[in-house]
Amino acid sequence: MAMSVLRREAKRLPQLMSPAPIAALRSTITPKPDEELVPFGARSISTQVVRNRMKSVKNIQKITKAMKMVAASKLRAIQSKTENSRGLWQPFTALFGDTPAIDVKKNVVITISSDKGLCGGINSTAVKTSKAIHKYSSSPDKENKYIILGEKAKAQLIRDSKKDIEIVITELQKNPLNYTQVSVLADDILKNVEYDALKIVFNKFQSVVSFIPTMATILSPEVAENEAQAGGKLAAFDSYELDDDAYKSEILPNLVEFQFSCVMFNAVLENACSEQGARMSAMDSSSRNAGEMLDRLTLTYNRTRQASITTELTEIISGASALEG
């Protein structure tokens, strides 16, 4: 009550107040404006603005912490499947080898990415690797196509390579990944796409903070048979003795189809594991950044609040002095 009376009296007697001393006092007690929140030349900012900003940052921090916990839970579930799936395609690598630099006319680059963001740079890394492979294999007498798994790779490749995109598959991870689901997908790709070599680009999981862009090559049965007969890198397969040579030509397409489904299954799991690890790391960094921002905003809020209190006290003292004078 007394403070309101003094303020009212001070407003009624402006001619008795000396503005110069008050301005001098304000210039000495007002803190330096914060570079992030206060424009140059402003005296102070509203405490309500800072409180709203702090509330927003706290909400964001809660969300990032929750997303980190969800990613950690999903990572634990997928990591065991990923490690077990590595044993499926390793025998095929020993049998057929890996020929990434083989020269064929029809190349199909299968880019595996995620459907959701907030997972670091795994999607951009896969897209850059796919573009580099596509550019390396391009020539006037060759045909290069894309098969895209994931919404993020689709959004990036459709900008400048729309005419080369053959198939787009999204929401693959909507349900828990299993071999049956991926084998049906692989069978559809083999039936609808003509190819000499399938080059699968994915991110191989190393740790929560590390993944390696990887490419696996699957040759068509005709190219694989020609390569084996020519004594190339597939000569190990030709070294196996079978009762009937015709049986070898019959079993080779089945082996290639099974190899493709196994490699696809491992690639999808590896990329999903890398996605969750990258998201967990990104959300952890976001939570730390939000905490640092909260500390800066708290300091700004305290300074602003102290400045407003000091300003009110100065006005009250000045008004009282004017009344006494």
Side-chain angles (χ1 to χ4, degrees), residues 15 23 28 49 51 53 62 67 84 90 101 110 115 121 141-142 154 157 159 194 207 238 242 247 281 292 297:
Q15 67 274 14
T28 56
V49 174
R51 276 201 303 268
R53 183 81 176 272
K62 291 178 182 178
M67 291 182 67
N84 294 332
Q90 289 174 351
I110 302 176
D115 291 318
D141 59 337
K142 294 181 180 179
K154 171 191 171 184
L157 289 173
R159 299 171 188 168
E194 296 182 359
S207 65
D238 200 42
L242 298 176
Y247 182 67
S281 178
E292 294 175 1
L297 287 172

Side-chain angles (χ1 to χ4, degrees), residues 28-286:
T28 56
I29 62 178
T30 301
K32 294 181 179 180
D34 189 82
E35 295 180 357
E36 295 181 0
L37 301 175
V38 183
F40 180 76
R43 186 184 67 178
S44 64
I45 59 174
S46 172
T47 55
Q48 184 64 36
V49 174
V50 183
R51 276 201 303 268
N52 292 339
R53 183 81 176 272
M54 291 172 65
K55 185 177 180 181
S56 299
V57 174
K58 285 180 181 179
N59 292 335
I60 292 173
Q61 189 180 40
K62 291 178 182 178
I63 294 172
T64 55
K65 286 183 177 180
M67 291 182 67
K68 177 187 174 183
M69 294 177 63
V70 172
S73 177
K74 290 183 178 180
L75 177 62
R76 284 192 295 269
I78 299 176
Q79 190 171 0
S80 59
K81 289 184 179 180
T82 304
E83 293 173 352
N84 294 332
S85 68
R86 291 172 183 171
L88 289 173
W89 60 268
Q90 289 174 351
F92 290 102
T93 304
L95 181 62
F96 294 114
D98 194 4
T99 56
I102 191 169
D103 189 16
V104 294
K105 291 186 177 181
K106 294 181 179 180
N107 290 287
V108 178
V109 180
I110 302 176
T111 306
I112 301 177
S113 68
S114 65
D115 291 318
K116 299 178 181 179
L118 300 177
C119 52
I122 65 167
N123 296 317
S124 59
T125 301
V127 170
K128 288 179 182 178
T129 305
S130 301
K131 287 182 177 180
I133 295 171
H134 188 276
K135 184 177 180 180
Y136 177 79
S137 304
S138 298
S139 66
D141 59 337
K142 294 181 180 179
E143 183 181 355
N144 294 300
K145 296 293 183 180
Y146 282 114
I147 294 178
I148 301 174
L149 274 70
E151 191 68 37
K152 293 302 177 180
K154 171 191 171 184
Q156 296 186 45
L157 289 173
I158 205 170
R159 299 171 188 168
D160 53 359
S161 304
K162 186 176 182 179
K163 60 182 180 63
D164 295 330
I165 297 176
E166 192 78 12
I167 299 175
V168 176
I169 301 169
T170 58
E171 297 185 357
L172 183 62
Q173 300 180 33
K174 191 174 183 179
N175 299 318
L177 294 170
N178 54 64
Y179 178 76
T180 303
Q181 177 186 1
V182 178
S183 62
V184 171
L185 175 64
D187 187 58
D188 291 340
I189 292 174
L190 293 177
K191 288 180 179 178
N192 297 317
V193 177
E194 296 182 359
Y195 71 98
D196 290 332
L198 295 169
K199 298 181 178 180
I200 306 171
V201 179
F202 61 97
N203 294 287
K204 187 175 182 180
F205 178 76
Q206 294 292 315
S207 65
V208 175
V209 295
S210 176
F211 56 89
I212 300 176
T214 307
M215 183 186 72
T217 305
I218 309 295
L219 301 179
S220 65
E222 296 80 10
V223 175
E225 187 174 2
N226 295 335
E227 189 73 13
Q229 292 176 355
K233 294 183 178 180
L234 299 180
F237 173 75
D238 200 42
S239 63
Y240 287 89
E241 295 182 1
L242 298 176
D243 295 337
D244 189 1
D245 291 338
Y247 182 67
K248 181 180 290 188
S249 61
E250 293 177 2
I251 199 176
L252 188 58
N254 295 329
L255 281 174
V256 170
E257 183 177 350
F258 186 48
Q259 178 194 14
F260 178 54
S261 62
C262 291
V263 173
M264 276 288 293
F265 180 56
N266 175 254
V268 170
L269 286 176
E270 293 276 3
N271 199 82
C273 204
S274 300
E275 175 191 352
Q276 299 302 332
R279 181 173 288 114
M280 181 179 172
S281 178
M283 293 302 101
D284 182 59
S285 299
S286 299

